[in-house]
Amino acid sequence: MKRFKKITQVFGISVLTIFITAYSLQAQSGTVRGLVQDSESGEPLAGANVVILGNNPMGAATDLHGQYQINGVPAGTHTLTVAYIGYKRIEREITVEAGERTIVNFEMVHETVRGEEVVVTAQSKGQLQAINQQLSSDKISNVVSEAKIRELPDFNAAQAIGRLPGVSTQKSSGEANKVVIRGLSPKYNSIEIEGIKLSATGSSQIGVSSLENTSGNLNNDRSVDLTMVTPYMIRTISLFKSLTPDMNANSIGGTVNMELREAPSERHFNMLWQSGYTAKSNTYGNYRAVLSGSDRFYNELLGVYALVNAESYDRDADNMTASYSTRSTEISPNGFPPVRVSSVTMNRHIERRNRYGANLILDYMLPSGNLKAVNMFARLNSDYNDYNQGLDYSGGDINWSFRHGKNTIDQQVNSLKLDYDLGFMSTDIAVAYTSSTNKLNDSPYYSFNQTGGIQSNNVEDNVVPDSLPHLVNYFGDSTAVVRSVSLFNSTYQEQKSTFKGDFIVPFNLFSRINGYIKFGGQYDYQVNTNDQSTPYAGLSGANNPGSIQYRMMDSLASNFDLESNSNGLFPAAEFTARDDDLYSPFLNDRFGQFYYAPRAGMLNNMIDYLHGNPEFESAGSATDPGGWFDGPYQRLANDYEYTENYYAGYLMSRINILKFMIIGGARYEKVTSEYFAYNARDRRNPQTQVMYPVTAKPENEFWLPMGQVRYSPFGWMDIRYAYTQTLARPDYHQLSPKYTITQSNQVYAGNPNLKPAEAFNHDVNVSFHGSKLGLLSIGAFHKTIEDFTYSSSFELNEYTKEAGLDSIERFQNPGPNPDARITLHKYINSPYKATVQGLELDLQTSLWYLPFPFDGMVFGVNYSYIESETRYPLYDLIADYTTRPPTFTFIDSSRTGRLVDQPENVVNSYIGYDYKGFSTRLSIIYQGNSVSYVGRYPQQDGYTKDYFRVDLSARQQLPWQGTEIFLDITNLNDERNISAQRSIDGFTNVQNYGMTANLGIRLRY
């Protein structure tokens, strides 16, 4: 604390000195500001490089509005130049007076070839915007420009980001929803809108009906689902791969910042309508409607921009998963111990997604600044049915389940931002409120099974699932029975208030060194809540007429006209669905056919009948089990409230000297939090469940030094290096103070003592650029990450206590068997370092300078090679129970592997062609294999197979001004997502979702 106070005092004195020095220097200098725009269209040119020439040039890049400002310009006559790739360079002589602002605007003209006028096509314009904005950034970054977003066939923001170098995506039914940056999972990246970090959308593992699994592990991480964000809201997307001290450091992969559209000069309207086709379900009826309008009032001081969108589309998919068990320790010819298929699950997923959004953006131009209010709301409604068929090759049963759900995910941003120039200092002050909600209410779940339907004794070692369907014998609907019904409810919400202040003081020393000193801070107050319940009933029958279970089954039979079999169970034939589409070939029946699917109507009525009926509430003692379980454990086991206070402050400086730009500084971050949850007094006795509250107060703080340098030896080349330190704070559920003991003495525990992971990052980037070349950049990066969080499991005894993993005492009592062997599943900080490194190449060019027909061609390709290495902490306990007392040997069996979600190779490529009013683009996305799952042993590991997708888009302008028709086709080659098991290459996951095509019309006025 003393050290912190001392640093604060030094910081305060330094800031005061900066103010005094800057104010005195301002009296001897002036400010140059203005607008850079296209001479023909009048559109502002973002990323233009405006420089005052001299022994030590001074300059600035234009912002998204085409505006620039150069502070601290010495009084006198200077030569001002502006450069923008694809346009002619302009030089102009200006006179600057001390203490005054000099306004200099530029209208730029396109480059010419052989004295002929060049027509810049739509795709070339998007490419030029992205290149210039990327080059003008003071960070290592990649950009998707406004014009480029309009040309892409992407259905949401995640798909657009996924085309940048080093980025891959995670998918849901074929639609990208989260981004993986440089091989680091979505939770390790930051997603922002207008510099405000979005709230995490969260997700939860839906529990099944058995009491053993209702405690299902939550997966409320820090990632953001971007499915609900339509690209038509977005003006530009920037991916920052190196950070500066003025940015939130909780981002070890990268930071994505999306700037939203706002009102340009004059009145404008945009209308779009499209309708589409989904090949998987062979349905036509997808649609998207977008309406936006803008205008400026009061002499164009006040700008108003509004947008609404509504979309509906089919996301049906056939998905499969498979699991494997290790058979022995003997090594097979393939170099691994033999494995055997444990289970195969077929999932027929039927889903309709509806997306809604709205923007209202207000900006007011002040004499020396701007006041801007951003309001964004986006919603995704997902109405789905999941029909599952599970083939239990270990136990010999066929299992079916059905779930219906209506999942709603909301994302909201409200911010107010003031930018103001005081002459000797500029300020940027922002207040914001962000929230996200992930809600799934009244989602019913039903399970069925047929015993003895699989010849499990004939399953052989090292045989892939494709060879096993002949071992399945379906005996008919009358032999399958209903086993359980449940009702799942979950509401996850994150709400955050943000207060930020940034202050920039420019300086110009001896006409040789110029730049600025920047300082500021941020405070976030955040509350995360999770409310989840899973009441259920087991329909297992009963022989005792006086028991709750017997009365419940008898009442269901009489009220719903059901006939039970000789064992008192309800045959599945009573609920068979008659929809032929549900039984259509599943992945061409390569893995077996889909035998049974239930209809939901009567089952839903059964749940309504049981739910809230006190006659069938579960009994309070083990002598009368059964009924509808809706007690404290079903309602409180996964509830929690997490409150976080985030404090940050920084001091940094940017210095321009000769051909160098140097940025250096440090950021301080501190988090204090409080976690409230519930523990079950004794989960092992479901009849006497008692819940009690538990709390924890995790906290952490860091000093993070950072530095970057850019060297521009020539006008067509720059070299950049960055060193940064960044963080990855643990997921919310990982910090939980609660633990749960299951009936089989498996303990699932959080860990409030987890430390954030800290990354030490090195980035190098070399760029070559020019009007004919476009952009060629070559980059390399290396990250060393400490204290990664991992899930570990081990049996507890005195050895694990000595190793500092955990003690057995806190889980032994109370319980029916204090001497029972307990296996603990717990999150820990890895004692081993992880490394991530790679190469990135990016080429963007057009052939505008060649004669027809080549002058309409646009080309781009980026390639990323990524590799990672970490040790997964795994622990084994060898027990010898033949001795008295038993003897134990503790073994650290940690092993090395890649990080989960890290692909080795990523390629994004496109080739486009424009001719007059016609434009077309063929895009290719390739993602190499990545680790999808790390098992306890190498033969249990899973990996994704290579993914290769082709998209096509085409545009045609119509004779009416501002009107065009367009066609977008995604997944033209019908690619699937496939994951496989390591040793025998049997699949672990298959997702088949097919092609989608959309035809639409757009009017711009």
Side-chain angles (χ1 to χ4, degrees):
M1 182 59 71
K2 290 182 178 179
R3 180 186 176 191
F4 177 68
K5 287 182 178 179
K6 184 176 181 181
I7 292 174
T8 303
Q9 291 172 354
V10 172
F11 178 78
I13 295 172
S14 301
V15 170
L16 181 60
T17 303
I18 291 168
F19 272 116
I20 296 172
T21 304
Y23 190 78
S24 62
L25 290 174
Q26 181 66 23
Q28 307 168 33
S29 59
T31 298
V32 179
R33 62 190 303 182
L35 173 68
V36 180
Q37 58 189 7
D38 184 287
S39 62
E40 294 182 3
S41 66
E43 291 185 8
L45 297 179
N49 193 22
V50 186
V51 178
I52 293 177
L53 301 180
N55 293 331
N56 187 52
M58 304 176 62
T62 56
D63 60 18
L64 290 177
H65 311 287
Q67 297 176 346
Y68 72 93
Q69 179 166 310
I70 306 173
N71 295 304
V73 181
T77 302
H78 303 275
T79 299
L80 184 65
T81 179
V82 58
Y84 190 90
I85 293 176
Y87 288 73
K88 291 181 179 180
R89 181 188 183 95
I90 300 177
E91 288 188 4
R92 188 174 297 172
E93 190 172 277
I94 63 171
T95 300
V96 177
E97 297 183 4
E100 299 293 330
R101 292 188 177 93
T102 302
I103 308 298
V104 185
N105 298 325
F106 293 93
E107 291 187 351
M108 303 199 72
V109 179
H110 297 295
E111 288 269 19
T112 59
V113 180
R114 300 177 298 277
E116 297 179 2
E117 181 181 356
V118 173
V119 177
V120 178
T121 64
Q123 295 189 69
S124 294
K125 183 183 295 184
Q127 190 180 73
L128 289 173
Q129 286 180 356
I131 291 172
N132 283 282
Q133 290 175 43
Q134 181 172 321
L135 290 172
S136 65
S137 174
D138 59 0
K139 294 171 274 289
I140 296 174
S141 64
N142 302 108
V143 174
V144 185
S145 66
E146 179 177 14
K148 193 171 183 179
I149 289 173
R150 291 178 180 177
E151 297 297 320
L152 293 172
D154 298 323
F155 221 67
N156 63 43
Q159 285 183 285
I161 298 167
R163 298 183 185 274
L164 293 173
V167 180
S168 55
T169 59
Q170 294 183 347
K171 300 173 182 64
S172 169
S173 290
E175 183 179 14
N177 60 350
K178 296 182 180 182
V179 293
V180 177
I181 302 174
R182 290 180 164 179
L184 290 155
S185 297
K187 63 183 179 180
Y188 300 129
N189 307 309
S190 179
I191 308 295
E192 300 178 350
I193 284 185
E194 305 265 347
I196 301 298
K197 190 172 182 179
L198 293 181
S199 296
T201 48
S203 60
S204 58
Q205 177 182 329
I206 298 173
V208 296
S209 59
S210 69
L211 191 61
E212 190 75 18
N213 291 316
T214 49
S215 62
N217 293 326
L218 294 177
N219 185 27
N220 288 337
D221 60 24
R222 295 178 184 262
S223 64
V224 177
D225 190 323
L226 291 172
T227 310
M228 73 285 296
V229 180
T230 179
Y232 291 96
M233 288 184 175
I234 303 168
R235 183 173 186 176
T236 186
I237 302 172
S238 299
L239 167 57
F240 300 112
K241 295 175 176 175
S242 67
L243 307 186
T244 46
D246 55 345
M247 300 175 68
N248 192 306
N250 193 42
S251 174
I252 63 176
T255 295
V256 175
N257 183 51
M258 295 175 282
E259 298 284 342
L260 302 183
R261 292 191 171 100
E262 58 185 69
S265 180
E266 301 179 348
R267 182 176 300 173
H268 294 272
F269 290 100
N270 275 268
M271 292 175 283
L272 178 146
W273 169 264
Q274 70 180 44
S275 187
Y277 170 78
T278 300
K280 172 64 183 64
S281 56
N282 193 27
T283 58
Y284 183 87
N286 302 335
Y287 69 83
R288 165 186 276 168
V290 182
L291 176 65
S292 65
S294 65
D295 202 353
R296 302 201 71 86
F297 305 91
Y298 305 112
N299 294 322
E300 297 204 344
L301 293 177
L302 173 64
V304 180
Y305 176 90
L307 176 145
V308 292
N309 68 284
E311 306 167 24
S312 179
Y313 51 103
D314 188 306
R315 281 296 172 188
D316 292 1
D318 284 346
N319 309 307
M320 289 190 65
T321 57
S323 61
Y324 303 79
S325 61
T326 301
R327 299 295 298 163
S328 69
T329 58
E330 297 179 3
I331 303 300
S332 299
N334 62 8
F336 294 90
V339 297
R340 182 174 294 181
V341 177
S342 300
S343 66
V344 171
T345 300
M346 303 176 179
N347 167 240
R348 179 142 278 165
H349 181 74
I350 300 173
E351 179 181 4
R352 169 62 60 171
R353 292 183 183 172
N354 297 294
R355 179 163 49 202
Y356 309 97
N359 283 359
L360 177 60
I361 300 176
L362 309 173
D363 69 278
Y364 189 81
M365 304 298 295
L366 301 171
S368 298
N370 180 58
L371 183 64
K372 184 177 181 180
V374 173
N375 303 277
M376 186 202 83
F377 175 79
R379 165 171 289 181
L380 178 70
N381 283 340
S382 174
D383 190 337
Y384 66 88
N385 292 321
D386 274 323
Y387 297 87
N388 297 305
Q389 176 174 281
L391 308 177
D392 184 357
Y393 286 103
S394 295
D397 297 340
I398 307 177
N399 303 299
W400 295 272
S401 66
F402 170 79
R403 179 178 295 283
H404 170 68
K406 291 185 178 181
N407 189 198
T408 300
I409 304 177
D410 292 341
Q411 184 71 252
Q412 178 180 342
V413 178
N414 304 99
S415 68
L416 182 63
K417 184 177 180 180
L418 171 65
D419 295 329
Y420 203 80
D421 180 21
L422 298 172
F424 70 97
M425 180 182 71
S426 60
T427 64
D428 183 351
I429 300 173
V431 294
Y433 170 81
T434 64
S435 70
S436 64
T437 304
N438 191 331
K439 182 181 294 185
L440 179 63
N441 283 346
D442 294 334
S443 174
Y445 178 91
Y446 320 106
S447 67
F448 307 76
N449 83 330
Q450 173 192 291
T451 59
I454 298 177
Q455 302 172 39
S456 56
N457 292 333
N458 294 330
V459 180
E460 299 178 352
D461 292 345
N462 289 345
V463 173
V464 296
D466 314 42
S467 304
L468 299 179
H470 69 281
L471 300 179
V472 180
N473 298 306
Y474 178 54
F475 303 137
D477 298 3
S478 60
T479 60
V481 296
V482 184
R483 288 295 182 183
S484 65
V485 296
S486 65
L487 190 65
F488 183 82
N489 287 275
S490 177
T491 300
Y492 169 82
Q493 187 173 53
E494 177 176 313
Q495 300 179 83
K496 180 166 57 181
S497 298
T498 298
F499 306 88
K500 292 178 63 177
D502 300 295
F503 306 89
I504 301 176
V505 180
F507 62 81
N508 183 10
L509 304 177
F510 318 115
S511 298
R512 294 182 178 275
I513 302 174
N514 62 74
Y516 61 75
I517 293 174
K518 187 176 184 180
F519 60 94
Q522 179 175 336
Y523 170 69
D524 292 347
Y525 177 74
Q526 176 179 319
V527 178
N528 296 63
T529 57
N530 192 73
D531 183 5
Q532 182 176 315
S533 64
T534 314
Y536 76 99
L539 305 180
S540 57
N543 295 321
N544 180 5
S547 67
I548 287 181
Q549 184 71 19
Y550 184 95
R551 297 198 310 272
M552 182 182 71
M553 297 290 288
D554 184 64
S555 182
L556 288 172
S558 61
N559 278 276
F560 294 95
D561 195 22
L562 298 173
E563 294 288 339
S564 58
N565 62 17
S566 58
N567 295 320
L569 304 174
F570 296 141
E574 301 275 1
F575 311 97
T576 303
R578 305 303 178 190
D579 185 352
D580 291 340
D581 290 339
L582 297 176
Y583 305 96
S584 61
F586 191 95
L587 295 174
N588 300 319
D589 286 344
R590 175 183 168 190
F591 308 98
Q593 67 184 92
F594 214 87
Y595 297 106
Y596 176 77
R599 69 182 189 278
M602 186 183 298
L603 292 163
N604 288 339
N605 292 335
M606 289 169 56
I607 283 187
D608 291 340
Y609 179 70
L610 296 174
H611 182 46
N613 191 331
E615 181 182 355
F616 305 124
E617 288 183 357
S618 56
S621 70
T623 59
D624 189 12
W628 178 254
F629 284 86
D630 194 9
Y633 188 80
Q634 285 73 38
R635 293 193 170 274
L636 299 177
N638 287 321
D639 290 4
Y640 70 79
E641 180 176 281
Y642 174 81
T643 304
E644 182 175 281
N645 293 279
Y646 169 86
Y647 310 89
Y650 70 89
L651 176 64
M652 59 179 283
S653 179
R654 170 174 161 174
I655 300 173
N656 302 306
I657 179 170
L658 300 176
K659 296 184 177 182
F660 289 89
M661 180 200 73
I662 302 169
I663 296 177
R667 183 177 184 86
Y668 171 77
E669 291 194 354
K670 181 177 181 179
V671 167
T672 62
S673 58
E674 183 170 351
Y675 206 120
F676 175 89
Y678 292 94
N679 258 358
R681 179 71 65 183
D682 182 15
R683 171 65 179 82
R684 289 165 291 188
N685 186 349
Q687 307 305 321
T688 56
Q689 302 166 27
V690 178
M691 306 298 293
Y692 63 96
V694 289
T695 58
K697 296 184 178 181
E699 62 178 70
N700 57 79
E701 63 179 333
F702 290 87
W703 280 98
L704 304 166
M706 305 182 192
Q708 302 193 41
V709 60
R710 181 177 72 188
Y711 174 53
S712 303
F714 311 104
W716 46 267
M717 177 185 183
D718 70 48
I719 304 169
R720 306 182 188 220
Y721 167 76
Y723 170 78
T724 56
Q725 290 182 209
T726 51
L727 304 172
R729 293 189 169 85
D731 296 337
Y732 305 120
H733 67 279
Q734 295 173 343
L735 291 168
S736 175
K738 66 166 292 229
Y739 61 84
T740 300
I741 305 176
T742 70
Q743 289 173 313
S744 58
N745 288 312
Q746 302 289 310
V747 179
Y748 295 88
N751 185 357
N753 297 319
L754 287 172
K755 295 183 290 185
E758 186 172 8
F760 304 85
N761 314 290
H762 299 269
D763 287 87
V764 178
N765 186 273
V766 181
S767 296
F768 306 91
H769 46 85
S771 293
K772 292 186 177 180
L773 171 64
L775 174 69
L776 172 63
S777 66
I778 304 168
F781 63 91
H782 183 277
K783 299 175 181 288
T784 301
I785 306 167
E786 299 178 352
D787 293 320
F788 250 144
T789 299
Y790 289 105
S791 177
S792 63
S793 60
F794 42 85
E795 189 173 308
L796 289 174
N797 66 24
E798 64 270 23
Y799 290 92
T800 55
K801 181 178 181 179
E802 291 175 5
L805 296 173
D806 218 314
S807 63
I808 192 172
E809 290 82 7
R810 72 180 179 119
F811 304 113
Q812 280 184 315
N813 291 305
N817 183 7
D819 297 324
R821 298 162 59 184
I822 297 175
T823 299
L824 176 63
H825 306 266
K826 178 184 178 182
Y827 297 102
I828 64 171
N829 286 115
S830 174
Y832 310 106
K833 294 181 180 180
T835 59
V836 185
Q837 55 194 7
L839 297 171
E840 296 174 346
L841 290 85
D842 185 20
L843 172 64
Q844 301 180 56
T845 189
S846 64
L847 305 182
W848 60 271
Y849 50 89
L850 295 181
F852 177 82
F854 305 103
D855 57 348
M857 188 171 293
V858 178
F859 175 75
V861 59
N862 60 69
Y863 166 73
S864 303
Y865 171 77
I866 308 169
E867 62 178 24
S868 63
E869 181 177 282
T870 188
R871 286 190 66 83
Y872 290 92
L874 302 167
Y875 307 101
D876 287 311
L877 192 67
I878 308 301
D880 184 357
Y881 291 97
T882 62
T883 63
R884 292 292 183 269
T887 58
F888 303 90
T889 304
F890 180 73
I891 299 175
D892 183 348
S893 56
S894 302
R895 59 188 184 85
T896 302
R898 278 195 286 165
L899 290 176
V900 173
D901 294 328
Q902 176 251 302
E904 286 188 337
N905 300 281
V906 180
V907 179
N908 292 286
S909 179
Y910 64 88
I911 183 168
Y913 190 78
D914 293 339
Y915 177 69
K916 295 185 177 179
F918 176 74
S919 175
T920 185
R921 175 190 296 251
L922 185 72
S923 306
I924 294 172
I925 292 178
Y926 171 82
Q927 296 177 12
N929 70 78
S930 63
V931 175
S932 58
Y933 173 76
V934 176
R936 191 165 185 80
Y937 306 105
Q939 63 271 20
Q940 296 174 335
D941 290 354
Y943 70 96
T944 65
K945 292 197 171 184
D946 295 350
Y947 179 83
F948 178 85
R949 193 185 81 223
V950 180
D951 302 330
L952 176 68
S953 61
R955 307 279 187 272
Q956 175 62 60
Q957 293 181 5
L958 299 178
W960 308 282
Q961 183 178 4
T963 306
E964 68 176 17
I965 58 172
F966 61 89
L967 172 68
D968 293 331
I969 303 177
T970 303
N971 198 18
L972 186 63
N973 57 324
D974 195 27
E975 180 68 340
R976 302 173 180 179
N977 292 94
I978 301 176
S979 300
Q981 185 266 351
R982 182 176 178 184
S983 63
I984 63 173
D985 205 39
F987 78 85
T988 57
N989 183 269
V990 179
Q991 299 179 35
N992 175 45
Y993 40 82
M995 179 198 75
T996 59
N998 295 283
L999 180 67
I1001 185 169
R1002 182 171 186 172
L1003 172 64
R1004 298 187 182 101
Y1005 166 72

